[in-house]
Amino acid sequence: MKTLSPHLLRAVAAAGLILAAGISTAAAAMTATAVTDLNVRAGPGPQYPIVGLAARGSTTVLEGCIEGSLWCRVNAGGVSGWAYAKYLAADQSGSTVVISERRAELGVPVVTYETTGSTVATPAEPLELIGPVEEVDAVTPPPAVRTYITSNPMDPVYLDGEVVLGATLPNTVAARQIPDYNYEYVMVNGQPVLVEPSTRRIVYIYR
């Protein structure tokens, strides 16, 4: 049996170390924390169906974000999909920063997305859900409210961003008053939400 020379053995060992280092680096995936209950969608946009939920404070694997977009590919609890970067945070030198504001400094990888089937079209320039997150007291609607919403469906409205508590609807979005109740409802990005009429802020999300 032919033996390897000491020089060749050292080269093989070095190659093994490089390979091991590569595997270690790949295994050290980036992580992000959901700053609110955040939908995980099948594609990078509000028109795609919801495939999972990243609960507030939970850690997700951050696989990368689309260049020039606020949508990132994540894995939350074993469910792979897309989440809105404004509601994902990461640690940077001991400080918590929002992914959408520090992508370059954090070194977030760039990923792409190819459409594989028909999806619900969004407006060319969709309106945006605005306002701080969760700076609102969530309500607990009675069962009769869900019954009313189910019996009186509305056409969905698609807005840029994600459906989260505290987000504000643009004034141009029409909401429907629920009889004998203090709140209105709208179907936003495929989800029924309750809205406070005076502030137009989302106070409850049906999931």
Side-chain angles (χ1 to χ4, degrees):
M1 181 176 177
K2 190 174 183 180
T3 59
L4 298 176
S5 67
H7 176 74
L8 189 55
L9 282 171
R10 285 195 296 271
V12 170
L17 288 174
I18 293 172
L19 179 60
I23 293 173
S24 176
T25 302
M30 295 189 68
T31 60
T33 301
V35 300
T36 185
D37 288 344
L38 183 60
N39 290 324
V40 177
R41 296 183 178 271
Q47 73 274 26
Y48 291 91
I50 298 167
V51 295
L53 177 72
R56 181 182 184 183
S58 65
T59 299
T60 68
V61 176
L62 179 62
E63 298 175 354
C65 301
I66 296 177
E67 186 70 42
S69 169
L70 290 173
W71 291 90
C72 300
R73 193 171 66 207
V74 300
N75 189 298
V79 177
S80 185
W82 298 82
Y84 200 56
K86 283 188 176 182
Y87 304 129
L88 291 171
D91 179 80
Q92 183 183 37
S93 303
S95 299
T96 300
V97 297
V98 179
I99 295 292
S100 61
E101 298 174 356
R102 300 290 180 86
R103 283 176 53 177
E105 294 94 322
L106 291 169
V108 178
V110 174
V111 294
T112 58
Y113 179 80
E114 293 184 8
T115 303
T116 56
S118 60
T119 60
V120 179
T122 56
E125 295 184 3
L127 298 171
E128 184 179 8
L129 281 162
I130 55 177
V133 179
E134 289 197 347
E135 292 184 7
V136 63
D137 293 328
V139 303
T140 304
V145 174
R146 178 183 281 275
T147 300
Y148 175 82
I149 291 174
T150 303
S151 303
N152 297 270
M154 292 183 69
D155 291 333
V157 174
Y158 289 95
L159 302 176
D160 195 21
E162 190 52 275
V163 178
V164 294
L165 285 178
T168 304
L169 297 181
N171 291 329
T172 52
V173 175
R176 178 177 294 174
Q177 180 64 51
I178 299 173
D180 303 318
Y181 197 55
N182 296 329
Y183 301 100
E184 302 172 329
Y185 103 87
V186 185
M187 181 72 75
V188 182
N189 296 356
Q191 285 184 283
V193 302
L194 298 183
V195 179
E196 188 176 47
S198 60
T199 63
R200 298 186 62 77
R201 301 187 73 185
I202 296 174
V203 296
Y204 190 82
I205 303 169
Y206 285 96
R207 300 191 185 278

